[in-house]
Each structure stands twice: as structure tokens, then as C-alpha cells.
């Protein structure tokens, strides 16, 4: 912390002026704006006034606040962060603190050095954006941010117009690009997301499927046009009616909510017979789910990640999926899942609360008595959905807490897929048919750019599976009985009140839709080629480059590449500086004279003219006086006198004399050298 | 033209710079018999006159400001006028006034002291801004307009103004824009002890004026010679870097004006000519730098040291 009265004597320090301070504030705002999307509002409530204060202060040239004001503000920032998060490190707390301290740092930018510290911290803040978002849009924004930030460094370091400063910054970034590419491709990748911080990743809002399902839970998802996953059908397209994406299976019902609980892990099963249906390979890029399951085309057989198939035939992984994940799956469409059902699973698949929803139970008991055959009971239930005036709607009437199935089945007759799947499964269990709820997605839209399919959160769906002897778990989608269009054409086609649907799930063909799809296509490429470039892709890339097998060769290549680039740059700069600064050999010769004198302890000051230098040397080294004064006189004439006045041989004489000049480290004692100026 | 041998053993015949340099040295020597121990200031003042610029001498009273001006005027053989500025001095006291001549029954113009080749404006900051600007306008235009008639001032025309920087009460300090019109500002300072001893011993002849060693015409030729002193690209680059540095943000209140840049070059040329050279080198610029730039630049950072020292330190030469 420099006080205002301190002055530098040896090197002039260019203290940032008001204009530069204003630009620093603009730069900080630019970098901090994206953080406004996810940091608590009070962080902005603290940072924005400080920045505004400093902005106005810089405009009006107010003095900077004193030591105590700054101390109190800094302590308050720490206190606020600790009060808000319960700690001062970690992802959100750390970034909040960084934002606040950067805003406060504005209050003490007095010297050049302060500005450099500020900008270095701002670089760090810029990088923290990746902790929150790694989307292409953010990456592009950060490129602009980096550009402006480097320009701010340039601005602090030297004067220039905004145009030249930004130009210089672009040039620097362009020069850094080859090194960045080399590092990106060759620097060893560690498994796991680079930016993911597992400690508080869950602090962010979750969207997508959850571990349980109650009336209304999927309805909320239907309003979310965000992308859930992107898929590529390797073995050709899958017909719309087969586009069921299997997520978690919900086994347990408590009277209102269907839950996954621990059934998946405790039970056996989940094996589809490989040869029983059509095999379909699908490459999937899954958006973070914050859960331990993966989505796959119904019914998955295997995947290339370290995942397991649980009893519900859902792909599961050890840790929650907190970063976008790419994997290849093999599914069997229309196959037999679990031809045998063991007793424990059967018991679990028939379990119902002791009481509640009595009317539904009575209906199921009647069917049981009437049809006996499970397949016919299933048919009877679907028949009911088809014939009675059931409606498929996003805004069903409310149902009683303890009788949601009864109310839905007999009174409101209106619901979304979770109502149908829940009620149907309840009826089956009550009628003695093992059944369970499967959640996931249904549908997919083909991307207009790129060969892949897009599944959105609004495609979230729930259906039932009943276990039939000899056929295993059979998918029954009661929603399809009510609204066949839902399966064939998506939610938008089958809902009456379409205006409540997200725009992306509703319109197609509009220009905006096409633009959005184009953007998604570019994003998909970004995800596939940049974000997914982890250890596996890197290994493949290295094999392709002939650098496979251990880290020795890639690291050698990396080092060699960086060294080669730097060498190239320095050779280029040396070449340019030779051309630019030393237009002729005369200056070079004079420089070498100065360099030799500098080596024996008499460096020339930068602002020292040749004659002044020669006089100074002559005063301390009588033995060099003649040579130096002669050299300086020749140099001065050659360099400053009109070009026509000096003849070519003068130039050669000087260069020869300069080359021959070899000052000794110490003056010869008591004996002046007999050498005289040539 | 007597044959001479220059320091570099190569004569520069087209200018006869060695002749000029010798004549100039003689003028300096003569002036030095009236102002003791101030050889470098005499040289700067002469450079200013050779560069056809106006000179501001700033110092406390009694250090020889007027003596220097008078001695230079005598040695150069210029017509001389001295105006003592006071708070009640009117523009017409400087420029002149038309008076009704009863005998000829017509107005005749009585030329003011400004119509001299060398005008000493003593304590310029004592006069009102109105009177100051009458003088400063005449300095810039080299002509005056009185009662609707424009009259050219003599050639050459040089103003040497003096002011006392410590005298604040009842004075009107020259604004920065007016300071820019003086090619150089120098301070005299107290004489060194040896010089003061000679002064006290009465070695100075105060009665007889200096014998003129040149005349106005001669000075005009020398000024032309100054203008033709060569400035190579390497030196122009150095000049440009100095000017660019002065305009960098946050260092000075205001950068050097183009006029100041021209002044710097012309002064350096005059300095080089006194050194018997027909080309400028960076040392010439460095020699005149304090006198030319220090009164035009105000440091913003309240740092120690003169503007010229800062500029010189920051810009390297090769």
C-alpha cells in the first residue's frame, strides 16, 4: 500500500489516472456480470454500490478512501460472506469473496503495481466462471473478457488509444493461441471434470428427473425447454413409439408419492435378454443430472462407462453426474426383461399402503375377480382410460392428499402422465399384478444441424411396467391410451392449453426455432469436441498423432512444441528488432562498443549521448579516453551528420575500429597506452 | 573566409559553420565581461536569439537579468528598449500613440518602446493582463495594429522578459498559454563565488557599452544558418519520442504543443551551430531541453524533479 506522498525516484511509476481507473471498473463489471446469474443477490447488493461509488469517484476525481474505511469495508466483506455461506472458501463463497474484494481493491489503486495486482486477481475471477458454466456462450463471453482484460493490462502498461490497446491485446492473444492449442491437446488430462467441485456442486438448482414422483412433479418439468440429453442412433432411427428413455424406476408408493428408495440396490434383476429384441446402439451426451443414474434407450443392455445395471434396469454410476457426460449404450428394443421374477422383487412390486384409495382398490378387486388373467386386467384398465372421458392436461384439478388416486380415477378424470402412470400402477398392484413406475423421457426431435437427436426436459415422462409370466416386465403406457398423440408427436401435440408449454417444446418451423436449433447444433459440437476432451478422447487423439503409449512421448512433444514456438517467436522478434532498431551496421557497432564497456563496469545510461558517454569514460579511464572520443566522434558524425557528408570508407573505418575496441578490465598502471585514434 | 580546421577535420563549407561559431563565441566572451560566471546561461540566451525566439528570464531581483539582456543587445548591435512593467502601465505605453501636432495640424505617431530590435520587458508579471497580452500579441505577430493601422515591428525582433517568481502580491502571473510563446525560460541564479569575488572587486565595466560585434543583418544571416542545420531521422525520432512522452496520460497536466516541438528543434539547431556543427545530435536537444520545456509542462504526480529531467531519463538515445 503506497501512500500518496511516496514518490519513486529510480524508475518512474506511471500512476493510473482517472481514465485508467474508469476502464478498470468497466473491465471488472464485464468480468463479474456473468457471476450475477448464480451468486446470491446480496453479493451484488454489496459489490455494485462500491463499484458505482468508485466509478463516480474516478469521474469526479475524489480522493481514495482512507486506510480505516478500507479496513472496515474489507472486514465487512469477509463477515458478510461468512454470514451468508458459513465459510469463506468453496465455490460460491470463494467467488463471492473474490468479487467483493476486487470491488474493494478499486478503493486502493494508487500505483501501477496496484493496478497490476487488481488485474491479476481479475484474471482469476474470469477463470472461476468455468466453475459455474462451461457452455459455448460462456466460453465466447470469456474470450471477449480475456481480450478486454489483456487490453487493460496493455492500457496500464503503456499509453494508447482504445483502438490500439485492444489491437495490441488481440495480437497478444493470437500469439498465445498456438501454445494454448498445444497445451489443450497434449497436456495430460485427469479423469473427472476439470472444473467440477464436488464439495458444493449440489448447491445449484436441479432440473430433471428426481428420486420420487408425486402429482405435479413432472408437470413442472414439462415447462422446462432445457436440454436433457443428446443422442445419436448408431444403428438407424428408432420409430417414435419406441423412443422411451429409461430413467430411475420407482418401486414404492406411500399413498401419494412414488419413490425409488433402495429397491434398485437390494433386489436382483434388471437383465434384458440380448437376443430377444432388436439391438440398438446409441451414443448419448447427458446433461448433468446431479443423480447417480444415466439415461438410456429402453431397455439398456450395456454401456461403455463404468456403470452397472440395477434391478430396475437403470444404468447407475458410482458418483452423481455433476458434469456433462458422454457414453455409448447398447439397448434391446422390444426384448424380454427379467423372464423370472424372484420372490422378493415380486413382493416389492405388489406392495401397497395398508389403507387409502379404497374405491380404486375395490375396482381392482372386481377386475381381479372378473378376469383372473393379468394380461386381461391390464387390458381392462387401459380400456377404462380409453372409454371414460379422461383428459390429458398440464393443469389438472387438485386432489386430496390421502386419496389422490381415487380423486383422479373417479372424480377429476384429468391428469398428466404421472397421474396416469401412478394410478395405473396402483390399480395393477391392487389387482395382484406386479407393477412399477418407470420415469424417464419419451420422444426426441431431430437436430436440424448435425446428426443427432435432442431430448428436452419437457419430454419427461412416466409410464408403468407390469410383470407378466413368460414375457417379463412389459411396458404399459396408460398416457398413450388417453392421448395417443403424446407418444407419436410429443407433448405439444396432445395438450389443449399449449400456451403454458415452453416455447421450444411447442413451436417448430418458426425462424426463432431454427436459430435455436442451429445454436444447439453448434453447442453439441462444442460439447463433443471440447468439453468431452477428457482422458479417453485424449488417448485416442494421441494414438492418432502417433504419440500413444505412456506419457513420456506426449510430454516430450509438448515441451518440444512450446520450445519450438518460443524459439520461433524470439527469432522473429530478433529479426524484426534488428531491422527496426538497428537500421544499419553503424548502430550495431556502437551498441557492441557500449556492451563491452558495460561488461567492464561502465554501462551507458539509456539517455546518454555518444559524446557525453565518451567524456564520462574518459574522465575515469584515461587509458580509454583517446579511443572512446574518437569512436564517439565518428559515430556521431555517421549517425547524425547529413548522409551526403560522410563517405563510405568512414563507415567501414568506424565499424572496424568498433570491432577492434577491446577495453581492459583495469587501467594499466602508470602507463598510458601508446595506441591512438585511428 | 579564413581557413579553419574543424574538430572533425572535415570542413563544412556550405554553411561556414566554423566561422559563425567563432563569431558567436566572441559575442559570448564579450557578454561574459558583463555577466560573470554565467557562461552556460549566456549560451542558452544566445541560442534563443539565434532561434528567433523570445526569452523569459525568471529570477529574484539583482542577479543580472537586465544586465544580461543589455549586454547581448549591445554585443549583437541591436537597437534596445527597456520597459519597466507596472500595474498602471497601459498598452499604449508599449505600442505608442498618435499625438496631434499643432504645427503640422495633423496626428503624428509616436512609436512606443516596442519598436526596437531587442525589447526588455522588466517584471512583466507586474502589469495588468490587458497590457501583458498587448506585448504577447506583438511578440507572436511581429507587428502591431494601432488606431487601425498595422505597423511591422523591426527585424529581428526579440523580447526578453523578466519576472520575479517569488513576488506574488499585486502581480498577474502569466497563464500557461502565454508562457508557450516564450521559446525559452531560464533562471540565472546566484553567481559562483569566484565570479562574485570578481564582481565585488569591481572588475565589471559599467560605464561604456559593449562594442557591437555584429548587426541586425548579420543576426538575420545567422538565424537563417540555424534554420539550415541538419536534423537527421534518428534525431527527429528522438524528438518525437520526447514529445510523445510529454503527452502520455497522467504525467503532465498538458503535453507539449506542436509549437513547443518546433521550438525544441530550433533551439537545438542554434545550440549545434554554436558548437560549430551543421547537424543536430541528441546532446543538443538535451542541452536546451530544460530551458525549452520546463515552463511549458507541469507535473501531475507532484513528484520531485523537473519535467525535462523526467523526460530525459525516460527516453533513451542511440
Amino acid at each position: 500500500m503506497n501512500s500518496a506522498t511516496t514518490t519513486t525516484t529510480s524508475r518512474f511509476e506511471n500512476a493510473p489516472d482517472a481514465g485508467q481507473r474508469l476502464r478498470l471498473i468497466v473491465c471488472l463489471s464485464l468480468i463479474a456480470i456473468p457471476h450475477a446469474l448464480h451468486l446470491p443477490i446480496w453479493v451484488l447488493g454489496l459489490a455494485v454500490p462500491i463499484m458505482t461509488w468508485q466509478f463516480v469517484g474516478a469521474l469526479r476525481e475524489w480522493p481514495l478512501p482512507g486506510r480505516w474505511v478500507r479496513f472496515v469495508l474489507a472486514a465487512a466483506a469477509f463477515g458478510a460472506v461468512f454470514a451468508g455461506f458459513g465459510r469463506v472458501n468453496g465455490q460460491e463463497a470463494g467467488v463471492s469473496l473474490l468479487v467483493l474484494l476486487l470491488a474493494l481493491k478499486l478503493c486502493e489503486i494508487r500505483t501501477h503495481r496496484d493496478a497490476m495486482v487488481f488485474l491479476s486477481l481479475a484474471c482469476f475471477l474470469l477463470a472461476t466462471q468455468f466453475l459455474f458454466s462451461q457452455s459455448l456462450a460462456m466460453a465466447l463471453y470469456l474470450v471477449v473478457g480475456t481480450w478486454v482484460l489483456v487490453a487493460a493490462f496493455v492500457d496500464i502498461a503503456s499509453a494508447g488509444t482504445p483502438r490500439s490497446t485492444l489491437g495490441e491485446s488481440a495480437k497478444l492473444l493470437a500469439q498465445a493461441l498456438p501454445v494454448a492449442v498445444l497445451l489443450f491437446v497434449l497436456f495430460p488430462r485427469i479423469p473427472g471434470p476439470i472444473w467440477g467441485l464436488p464439495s458444493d456442486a449440489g448447491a445449484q438448482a436441479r432440473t430433471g428427473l428426481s428420486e420420487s414422483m408425486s402429482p405435479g412433479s413432472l408437470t413442472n418439468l414439462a415447462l422446462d425447454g432445457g436440454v436433457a440429453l443428446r443422442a445419436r442412433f448408431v444403428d438407424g432411427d428408432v420409430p417414435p413409439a419406441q423412443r422411451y428413455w429409461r430413467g430411475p424406476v420407482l418401486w414404492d408408493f406411500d399413498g401419494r408419492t412414488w419413490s425409488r428408495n433402495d429397491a434398485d440396490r437390494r433386489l436382483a434383476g434388471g437383465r434384458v435378454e440380448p437376443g430377444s429384441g432388436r439391438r440398438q446402439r446409441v451414443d448419448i451426451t447427458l446433461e448433468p443430472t446431479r443423480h447417480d443414474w444415466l439415461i438410456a434407450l429402453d431397455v439398456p443392455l450395456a454401456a461403455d462407462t463404468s456403470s452397472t445395471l440395477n434391478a430396475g434396469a437403470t444404468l447407475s454410476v458410482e458418483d452423481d453426474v455433476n458434469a456433462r457426460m458422454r457414453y455409448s449404450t447398447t439397448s434391446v428394443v422390444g426384448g424380454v426383461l427379467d423372464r423370472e421374477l424372484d420372490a422378493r422383487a415380486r413382493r416389492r412390486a405388489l406392495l401397497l399402503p395398508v389403507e387409502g384409495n379404497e374405491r380404486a382398490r375395490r375396482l381392482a378387486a372386481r377386475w381381479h375377480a372378473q378376469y383372473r388373467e393379468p394380461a386381461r386386467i391390464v387390458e381392462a384398465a387401459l380400456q377404462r382410460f380409453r372409454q371414460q372421458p379422461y383428459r390429458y392436461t398440464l393443469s389438472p384439478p387438485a386432489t386430496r392428499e390421502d386419496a389422490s388416486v381415487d380423486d383422479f380415477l373417479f372424480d377429476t378424470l384429468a391428469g398428466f402422465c404421472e397421474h396416469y402412470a401412478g394410478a395405473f400402477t396402483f390399480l395393477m398392484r391392487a389387482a395382484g399384478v406386479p407393477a412399477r413406475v418407470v420415469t424417464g423421457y419419451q420422444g426426441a426431435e431431430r437436430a436440424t444441424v448435425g446428426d443427432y437427436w435432442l431430448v428436452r426436459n419437457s419430454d419427461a415422462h412416466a409410464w408403468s411396467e407390469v410383470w407378466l409370466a413368460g414375457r417379463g416386465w412389459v411396458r404399459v403406457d396408460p398416457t398413450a391410451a388417453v392421448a395417443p398423440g403424446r407418444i407419436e408427436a410429443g407433448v405439444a401435440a396432445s395438450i389443449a392449453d399449449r400456451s403454458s408449454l415452453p416455447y421450444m417444446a411447442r413451436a417448430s418451423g418458426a425462424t426463432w426455432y431454427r436459430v435455436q436449433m442451429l445454436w444447439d447444433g453448434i453447442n453439441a459440437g462444442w460439447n463433443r469436441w471440447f468439453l468431452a476432451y477428457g482422458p479417453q478422447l485424449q488417448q485416442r487423439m494421441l494414438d492418432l498423432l502417433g504419440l500413444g503409449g505412456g506419457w513420456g512421448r506426449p510430454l516430450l512433444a509438448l515441451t518440444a512444441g512450446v520450445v519450438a514456438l518460443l524459439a520461433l517467436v524470439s527469432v522473429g522478434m530478433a529479426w524484426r528488432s534488428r531491422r527496426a532498431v538497428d537500421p544499419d551496421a553503424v548502430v550495431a557497432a556502437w551498441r557492441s562498443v557500449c556492451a563491452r564497456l558495460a561488461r567492464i563496469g561502465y554501462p551507458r545510461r539509456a539517455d546518454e549521448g555518444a559524446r557525453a558517454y565518451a567524456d564520462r569514460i574518459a574522465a575515469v579511464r584515461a587509458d580509454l579516453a583517446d579511443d572512446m572520443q574518437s569512436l564517439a566522434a565518428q559515430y556521431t558524425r555517421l549517425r547524425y551528420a547529413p548522409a551526403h557528408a560522410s563517405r563510405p570508407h568512414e563507415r567501414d573505418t568506424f565499424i572496424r575500429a568498433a570491432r577492434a575496441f577491446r577495453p581492459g578490465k583495469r587501467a594499466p598502471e602508470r602507463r598510458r597506452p601508446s595506441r591512438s585514434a585511428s | 573566409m579564413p581557413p579553419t580546421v574543424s574538430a572533425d577535420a572535415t570542413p563544412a563549407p556550405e554553411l561556414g559553420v566554423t566561422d559563425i561559431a567563432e563569431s558567436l563565441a566572441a559575442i559570448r566572451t564579450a557578454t561574459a565581461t558583463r555577466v560573470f560566471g554565467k557562461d552556460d546561461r549566456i549560451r542558452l540566451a544566445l541560442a534563443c536569439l539565434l532561434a528567433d525566439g523570445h526569452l523569459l528570464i525568471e529570477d529574484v531581483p539583482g542577479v543580472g537579468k537586465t544586465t544580461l539582456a543589455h549586454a547581448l543587445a549591445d554585443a549583437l548591435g541591436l537597437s534596445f528598449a527597456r520597459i519597466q512593467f507596472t500595474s498602471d502601465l497601459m498598452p499604449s505605453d508599449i505600442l505608442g500613440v498618435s499625438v496631434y501636432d499643432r504645427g503640422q495640424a495633423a496626428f503624428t505617431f509616436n512609436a512606443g518602446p516596442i519598436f526596437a530590435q531587442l525589447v526588455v520587458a522588466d517584471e512583466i508579471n507586474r502589469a495588468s493582463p490587458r497590457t501583458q497580452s498587448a506585448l504577447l500579441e506583438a511578440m507572436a505577430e511581429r507587428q502591431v495594429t494601432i488606431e487601425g493601422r498595422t505597423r511591422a515591428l523591426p527585424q529581428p525582433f526579440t523580447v526578453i522578459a523578466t519576472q520575479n517568481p517569488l513576488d506574488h502580491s499585486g502581480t498577474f502571473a502569466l497563464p500557461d498559454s502565454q508562457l508557450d510563446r516564450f521559446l525559452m525560460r531560464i533562471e540565472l541564479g546566484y553567481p559562483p563565488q569566484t565570479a562574485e569575488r570578481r564582481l565585488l572587486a569591481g572588475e565589471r565595466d559599467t560605464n561604456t557599452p559593449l562594442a557591437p560585434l555584429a548587426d541586425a543583418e548579420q543576426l538575420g544571416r545567422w538565424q537563417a544558418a540555424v534554420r539550415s542545420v541538419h536534423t537527421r531521422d534518428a534525431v527527429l525520432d528522438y524528438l518525437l519520442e520526447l514529445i510523445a512522452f510529454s503527452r502520455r496520460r497522467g504525467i503532465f497536466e498538458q503535453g507539449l504543443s506542436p509549437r513547443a516541438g518546433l521550438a525544441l528543434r530550433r533551439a537545438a539547431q542554434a545550440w549545434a551551430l554554436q558548437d560549430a556543427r551543421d547537424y543536430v545530435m541528441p546532446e543538443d536537444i538535451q542541452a536546451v531541453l530544460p530551458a525549452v520545456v520546463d515552463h511549458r509542462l507541469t507535473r501531475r504526480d507532484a513528484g520531485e524533479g523537473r519535467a525535462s529531467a523526467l523526460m530525459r531519463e525516460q527516453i533513451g538515445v542511440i
Side-chain angles (χ1 to χ4, degrees):
Chain A
M1 224 180 289
N2 288 14
S3 72
T5 51
T6 312
T7 52
T8 48
T9 47
S10 59
R11 268 202 69 200
F12 175 71
E13 253 198 323
N14 192 354
D17 61 20
Q20 282 168 325
R21 292 191 52 220
L22 285 178
R23 288 190 285 279
L24 286 181
I25 297 170
V26 171
C27 183
L28 174 61
S29 325
L30 197 72
I31 291 165
I33 280 171
H35 278 308
L37 300 175
H38 45 251
L39 288 186
I41 191 76
W42 59 263
V43 175
L44 294 178
L46 289 177
V48 171
I50 296 174
M51 285 164 66
T52 314
W53 170 40
Q54 285 308 308
F55 191 85
V56 175
L59 270 182
R60 305 252 168 97
E61 310 216 352
W62 290 342
L64 294 174
R67 184 187 299 262
W68 283 105
V69 177
R70 281 179 280 142
F71 178 79
V72 168
L73 282 173
F78 269 96
V81 169
F82 192 78
F85 295 99
R87 56 180 178 176
V88 292
N89 56 2
Q91 185 173 323
E92 295 206 340
V95 173
S96 302
L97 191 64
L98 194 57
V99 169
L100 289 176
L101 291 186
L102 266 170
L104 286 174
K105 184 73 194 167
L106 285 173
C107 305
E108 57 171 21
I109 293 182
R110 291 178 203 283
T111 63
H112 182 257
R113 185 180 158 278
D114 290 330
M116 295 300 273
V117 169
F118 175 84
L119 286 173
S120 307
L121 275 173
C123 287
F124 190 62
L125 183 66
L126 191 76
T128 58
Q129 297 287 0
F130 280 128
L131 294 174
F132 297 95
S133 167
Q134 298 151 49
S135 71
L136 178 58
M138 182 58 78
L140 290 178
Y141 188 90
L142 293 190
V143 168
V144 175
T146 313
W147 182 36
V148 173
L149 196 53
V150 173
F153 271 110
V154 175
D155 183 51
I156 290 297
S158 67
T161 62
R163 204 189 152 102
S164 71
T165 309
L166 284 169
E168 181 73 12
S169 167
K171 213 164 80 186
L172 286 171
L173 288 184
Q175 284 167 351
L177 193 64
V179 179
V181 169
L182 262 181
L183 287 171
F184 180 83
V185 174
L186 293 177
F187 196 80
R189 299 290 173 129
I190 47 161
I194 307 175
W195 297 101
L197 278 185
S199 56
D200 60 357
Q204 291 161 48
R206 309 168 171 204
T207 55
L209 302 173
S210 68
E211 305 231 341
S212 62
M213 179 188 88
S214 48
S217 60
L218 286 185
T219 319
N220 290 335
L221 268 184
L223 299 174
D224 177 4
V227 173
L229 61 93
R230 296 179 179 84
R232 259 154 65 87
F233 296 124
V234 180
D235 301 323
D237 290 356
V238 173
Q242 301 292 344
R243 288 179 202 148
Y244 280 86
W245 304 94
R246 193 179 187 89
V249 171
L250 312 180
W251 293 80
D252 299 338
F253 185 59
D254 67 354
R256 180 171 180 85
T257 303
W258 289 88
S259 313
R260 181 183 179 214
N261 293 347
D262 59 348
D264 286 341
R265 262 161 283 149
R266 296 176 145 248
L267 299 173
R271 293 288 161 272
V272 66
E273 292 174 18
S276 57
R278 192 159 61 84
R279 276 209 196 203
Q280 187 75 45
R281 279 177 297 161
V282 189
D283 292 343
I284 292 175
T285 308
L286 183 69
E287 295 295 310
T289 60
R290 320 271 168 213
H291 287 291
D292 62 352
W293 61 71
L294 304 180
I295 307 291
L297 189 70
D298 202 26
V299 180
L301 175 70
D304 68 345
T305 54
S306 57
S307 61
T308 52
L309 275 168
N310 63 24
T314 306
L315 284 172
S316 310
V317 283
E318 280 289 309
D319 300 309
D320 289 354
V321 182
N322 286 325
R324 191 175 285 110
M325 187 172 174
R326 217 172 147 245
Y327 50 92
S328 302
T329 60
T330 307
S331 297
V332 179
V333 177
V336 176
L337 175 62
D338 294 342
R339 198 180 288 273
E340 303 299 328
L341 188 65
D342 70 22
R344 286 179 60 207
R346 188 184 178 83
R347 261 206 311 281
R348 193 102 180 205
L350 286 170
L351 211 60
L352 282 179
V354 186
E355 53 183 14
N357 297 308
E358 297 305 327
R359 291 172 72 190
R361 284 176 205 259
R362 281 200 296 277
L363 177 66
R366 206 167 64 234
W367 285 341
H368 179 70
Q370 192 177 342
Y371 302 114
R372 312 298 299 179
E373 192 73 7
R376 291 182 61 194
I377 297 174
V378 169
E379 193 47 42
L382 290 177
Q383 203 63 27
R384 179 184 171 86
F385 284 134
R386 273 191 215 110
Q387 287 164 1
Q388 307 263 342
Y390 282 97
R391 284 188 301 126
Y392 181 61
T393 174
L394 272 177
S395 43
T399 52
R400 275 175 292 160
E401 193 69 14
D402 56 345
S404 55
V405 177
D406 272 6
D407 287 357
F408 163 68
L409 276 177
F410 303 105
D411 299 332
T412 66
L413 278 69
F416 199 55
C417 56
E418 71 261 31
H419 298 88
Y420 289 97
F424 178 83
T425 309
F426 183 91
L427 286 170
M428 288 306 109
R429 287 190 178 184
V433 182
R436 60 191 182 185
V437 172
V438 184
T439 57
Y441 301 90
Q442 201 285 319
E445 55 190 304
R446 182 187 273 283
T448 51
V449 180
D451 174 29
Y452 67 98
W453 292 75
L454 215 100
V455 176
R456 299 183 184 279
N457 283 328
S458 54
D459 292 323
H461 193 51
W463 60 91
S464 289
E465 275 182 345
V466 292
W467 189 86
L468 303 176
R471 292 172 60 190
W473 290 104
V474 175
R475 180 172 68 218
V476 180
D477 190 349
T479 312
V482 181
R486 163 71 182 86
I487 308 307
E488 294 292 331
V491 182
S494 46
I495 291 279
D497 47 349
R498 292 172 54 164
S499 60
S500 61
L501 280 171
Y503 187 80
M504 287 307 292
R506 132 163 89 93
S508 59
T511 311
W512 180 237
Y513 177 83
R514 282 203 296 277
V515 170
Q516 290 267 318
M517 284 303 272
L518 175 70
W519 178 239
D520 194 84
I522 297 168
N523 254 311
W526 165 255
N527 295 340
R528 224 171 120 200
W529 296 113
F530 286 89
L531 293 188
Y533 191 78
Q536 291 174 3
L537 259 180
Q538 185 177 35
Q539 211 52 56
R540 252 186 276 168
M541 180 72 151
L542 291 179
D543 288 340
L544 208 70
L545 293 172
L547 296 169
W551 279 114
R553 289 208 284 174
L555 284 179
L556 201 65
L558 179 63
T559 316
V562 171
V563 167
L565 274 172
L566 290 179
L568 206 69
V569 167
S570 45
V571 165
M573 278 170 67
W575 188 69
R576 270 185 60 171
S577 69
R578 263 187 92 84
R579 280 170 50 104
V581 179
D582 299 352
D584 58 83
V586 171
V587 176
W590 173 247
R591 276 186 198 281
S592 73
V593 167
C594 299
R596 272 180 224 134
L597 285 165
R599 243 171 276 146
I600 62 164
Y602 307 111
R604 188 177 69 89
R605 286 199 325 270
D607 62 327
E608 205 167 17
R611 289 228 175 139
Y613 185 42
D615 289 346
R616 185 160 66 87
I617 301 289
V620 288
R621 286 286 298 269
D623 58 314
L624 300 176
D626 291 346
D627 280 356
M628 263 315 279
Q629 267 156 355
S630 162
L631 282 170
Q634 290 179 60
Y635 171 70
T636 312
R637 245 187 93 64
L638 286 166
R639 178 115 175 102
Y640 304 121
H644 56 80
S646 56
R647 292 172 207 107
H649 72 86
E650 283 186 51
R651 199 179 127 98
D652 299 338
T653 311
F654 167 68
I655 291 171
R656 264 201 306 280
R659 283 194 190 137
F661 179 67
R662 292 273 181 269
K665 207 158 184 85
R666 240 177 258 152
E669 279 172 49
R670 256 170 286 155
R671 194 152 53 92
R672 275 196 73 174
S674 53
R675 235 182 342 152
S676 62
S678 51
Chain B
M1 201 185 288
T4 52
V5 177
S6 83
D8 301 308
T10 40
E14 71 271 27
L15 269 173
V17 286
T18 36
D19 299 352
I20 300 176
E22 279 186 359
S23 307
L24 294 173
I27 288 169
R28 291 201 304 272
T29 314
T31 313
T33 62
R34 297 297 157 90
V35 184
F36 292 161
K38 291 286 161 201
D39 293 359
D40 51 336
R41 303 306 150 96
I42 294 170
R43 192 168 172 157
L44 274 174
L46 186 56
C48 186
L49 263 58
L50 288 169
D52 201 10
H54 305 291
L55 178 66
L56 177 65
I57 307 180
E58 198 172 83
D59 221 320
V60 292
V63 290
K65 296 191 289 277
T66 316
T67 312
L68 172 62
H70 215 140
L72 275 173
D74 287 349
L76 288 166
L78 302 176
S79 64
F80 180 84
R82 176 161 178 248
I83 312 167
Q84 174 64 49
F85 276 49
T86 54
S87 55
D88 56 357
L89 192 76
M90 300 302 289
S92 58
D93 297 335
I94 300 174
L95 305 178
V97 67
S98 293
V99 186
Y100 186 71
D101 187 329
R102 213 176 271 253
Q104 296 188 11
F107 281 97
T108 51
F109 179 66
N110 280 9
I114 192 93
F115 290 90
Q117 287 164 329
L118 200 149
V119 178
V120 173
D122 243 336
E123 299 190 82
I124 189 172
N125 55 338
R126 296 206 145 268
S128 67
R130 186 161 159 244
T131 309
Q132 283 177 3
S133 54
L135 174 74
L136 292 159
E137 270 169 44
M139 279 165 56
E141 314 277 328
R142 287 170 193 273
Q143 61 182 28
V144 291
T145 303
I146 304 149
E147 290 153 15
R149 229 186 107 198
T150 301
R151 293 162 205 272
L153 292 171
Q155 277 293 341
F157 172 72
T158 305
V159 172
I160 298 181
T162 72
Q163 70 174 1
N164 178 358
L166 300 180
D167 196 2
H168 289 307
S169 63
T171 64
F172 302 91
L174 288 177
D176 287 355
S177 57
Q178 306 283 37
L179 282 176
D180 197 33
R181 301 197 175 178
F182 288 98
L183 188 126
M184 285 191 191
R185 183 194 65 179
I186 59 174
E187 288 153 24
L188 280 181
Y190 297 115
Q193 213 167 25
T194 49
E196 194 142 26
R197 172 180 288 275
R198 286 170 60 207
L199 189 69
L200 293 173
E203 285 185 31
R204 191 170 65 158
D205 177 8
T206 49
N207 297 324
T208 52
L210 280 173
L213 294 166
D215 54 28
E217 201 185 329
Q218 179 78 298
L219 180 60
R221 278 201 297 277
W222 288 340
Q223 287 175 343
V226 164
R227 285 194 289 274
S228 60
V229 168
H230 294 274
T231 315
R232 282 272 292 271
D233 281 351
V235 179
L236 282 182
D237 288 344
Y238 180 58
L239 260 173
L240 283 171
E241 279 185 68
L242 286 171
I243 294 167
F245 175 78
S246 79
R247 293 176 190 167
R248 274 201 214 169
R249 281 166 298 184
I251 302 171
F252 302 117
E253 293 292 348
Q254 207 164 11
L256 288 177
S257 65
R259 170 160 58 191
L262 285 170
L264 192 51
R265 177 179 172 219
R266 190 54 49 79
Q269 285 173 311
W271 191 266
L273 187 64
Q274 293 191 69
D275 204 21
R277 261 182 292 111
D278 63 342
Y279 57 90
V280 178
M281 42 188 230
E283 281 97 326
D284 299 325
I285 295 171
Q286 291 172 348
V288 298
L289 195 64
V292 177
V293 304
D294 279 346
H295 63 295
R296 301 175 204 254
L297 297 173
T298 314
R299 271 182 82 156
R300 257 189 109 156
D301 56 349
E304 301 289 319
R306 287 164 177 271
S308 54
L310 181 61
M311 286 170 77
R312 186 181 159 159
E313 202 176 280
Q314 289 297 309
I315 309 298
V317 298
I318 187 70

